Amino acid sequence: VSPQTPPPVVLEGNDLTLSCNVTRELNYPTYLSVTWLVKKGTTSEEILTFGPQGDVVTGSKFARRYLDGGLRLVPGRNGLFELVISRVTTSDQGTYECNGTEWTHESGGKWTKIVESTKEMGTVTVTPTGHFLNVKASSSSSSSPSVLLSPGNMLTLFCYVFADNLPVLSLEMTWLADGREIITMDHSGLVISNTSSNGVQAKRGQATLERTGGGEYRLGVRGVSGEDGGIYTCRVRAFIEKGGRSTGGGGRWHLAAEKMSNPVTVKVSETSKYHIFTAVNDMGKEMMSTSTPMDVF
């Protein structure tokens, strides 16, 4: 039994390949099986066994994952066997082992174990998504933390998501104003618009949300009014699909991390009041009168 050392650190959501070479030197016909195990503390759990006659047996904790396609066996040549664990999570970290067993098949259908050997492959640590997931909010015009608009203007804000494992993440993105959810795009791409806290949406501008890049989302609010002012933040929830899709339909999802962006202050002015300036001469007679709008926030 000659295992290959797995990578010591794997990003959450990436695949882990466990390679093990199992060979025999006896001349008479025998059969081989290979088993992968993971040790957490002092207890070893069986992940999957291949053989001795081409059959596959999974450990009780990994049966569903194998059916979902989250475990994939890749038999190779010259005694090389590979087990691919798809989209690992932090629960997959531990010390991996490889076991090779030689069997003989006696008359009457009985399998007899001749010899076995277990070798430690190495310890794997899974880096959680939350350690490297970052979210940033900004306006379309500048990186300023505040935006000043007039009634009827268009508000445009961007939410940027950065992660080392971004291609394997499914993102749910929500924009909030003063802590109140405005609009959400779930991880399947469905957009859900939310009403205000008192159930009245008409006073607020019409919000739209679209994905404009791999980790870029654009919020648009048409016809803003004073109701649209406030502190805007975007919240991102990162999901990882646990395995493929089973015959029952629909994948299972693991919430890997949740992050909030920096705040962006949105102010909407209302030109509803005026300052009156009047010029008079020495005799008290009015010479000129003008008015200027005063912005009210």
Side-chain angles (χ1 to χ4, degrees):
V1 178
S2 302
Q4 297 181 15
T5 303
V9 179
V10 181
L11 298 181
E12 186 175 23
N14 287 354
D15 293 351
L16 172 63
T17 300
L18 302 172
S19 301
C20 192
N21 194 274
V22 180
T23 56
R24 64 181 184 273
E25 296 180 357
L26 296 178
N27 293 324
Y28 58 86
T30 57
Y31 300 83
L32 291 176
S33 68
V34 57
T35 300
W36 287 268
L37 308 98
V38 61
K39 183 167 61 177
K40 301 176 181 180
T42 58
T43 305
S44 292
E45 299 175 358
E46 182 178 322
I47 302 172
L48 181 144
T49 297
F50 176 64
Q53 202 173 15
D55 52 328
V56 174
V57 178
T58 58
S60 58
K61 293 184 179 180
F62 296 88
R64 172 69 182 275
R65 195 167 182 178
Y66 177 72
L67 291 175
D68 283 347
L71 296 176
R72 189 171 72 254
L73 179 66
V74 185
R77 294 184 177 182
N78 301 321
L80 178 64
F81 299 87
E82 291 185 339
L83 179 66
V84 180
I85 303 178
S86 299
R87 291 173 282 278
V88 299
T89 65
T90 53
S91 63
D92 292 312
Q93 59 187 10
T95 301
Y96 286 87
E97 300 172 324
C98 179
N99 170 281
T101 303
E102 191 168 11
W103 304 81
T104 182
H105 194 216
E106 299 178 355
S107 58
K110 181 181 179 181
W111 288 96
T112 302
K113 183 186 299 184
I114 301 174
V115 64
E116 69 175 323
S117 175
T118 300
K119 296 289 182 65
E120 186 174 292
M121 305 183 72
T123 300
V124 176
T125 300
V126 179
T127 305
T129 301
H131 283 194
F132 47 81
L133 178 68
N134 290 296
V135 182
K136 178 184 177 183
S138 71
S139 68
S140 59
S141 57
S142 68
S143 58
S144 172
S146 62
V147 181
L148 175 60
L149 299 172
S150 296
N153 284 170
M154 173 78 172
L155 169 64
T156 303
L157 296 176
F158 287 91
C159 186
Y160 301 96
V161 184
F162 307 94
D164 294 341
N165 62 345
L166 188 61
V168 303
L169 297 178
S170 291
L171 304 177
E172 176 191 281
M173 214 287 294
T174 300
W175 275 100
L176 303 95
D178 294 332
R180 182 180 64 251
E181 296 183 2
I182 298 174
I183 194 168
T184 297
M185 179 182 289
D186 68 14
H187 61 81
S188 68
L190 178 65
V191 176
I192 304 169
S193 182
N194 302 304
T195 60
S196 60
S197 58
N198 59 4
V200 179
Q201 182 71 29
K203 291 183 180 180
R204 300 183 60 86
Q206 182 179 0
T208 60
L209 179 58
E210 59 180 326
R211 188 172 184 173
T212 53
E216 181 180 290
Y217 296 82
R218 180 171 61 195
L219 169 70
V221 181
R222 296 181 180 276
V224 299
S225 66
E227 295 285 332
D228 296 296
I231 306 298
Y232 282 70
T233 53
C234 57
R235 182 188 66 210
V236 171
R237 289 172 175 164
F239 291 86
I240 295 174
E241 189 172 14
K242 299 175 70 172
R245 297 189 175 275
S246 64
T247 54
R252 295 179 296 144
W253 297 91
H254 162 67
L255 177 59
E258 178 178 322
K259 286 288 179 72
M260 295 289 293
S261 74
N262 55 291
V264 176
T265 302
V266 175
K267 298 179 180 180
V268 181
S269 65
E270 294 183 2
T271 55
S272 58
K273 293 185 179 181
Y274 294 84
H275 280 305
I276 305 299
F277 298 94
T278 302
V280 296
N281 60 16
D282 293 339
M283 302 297 295
K285 184 178 181 181
E286 181 180 317
M287 296 174 57
M288 180 180 62
S289 180
T290 61
S291 63
T292 59
M294 180 181 68
D295 290 338
V296 178
F297 301 103

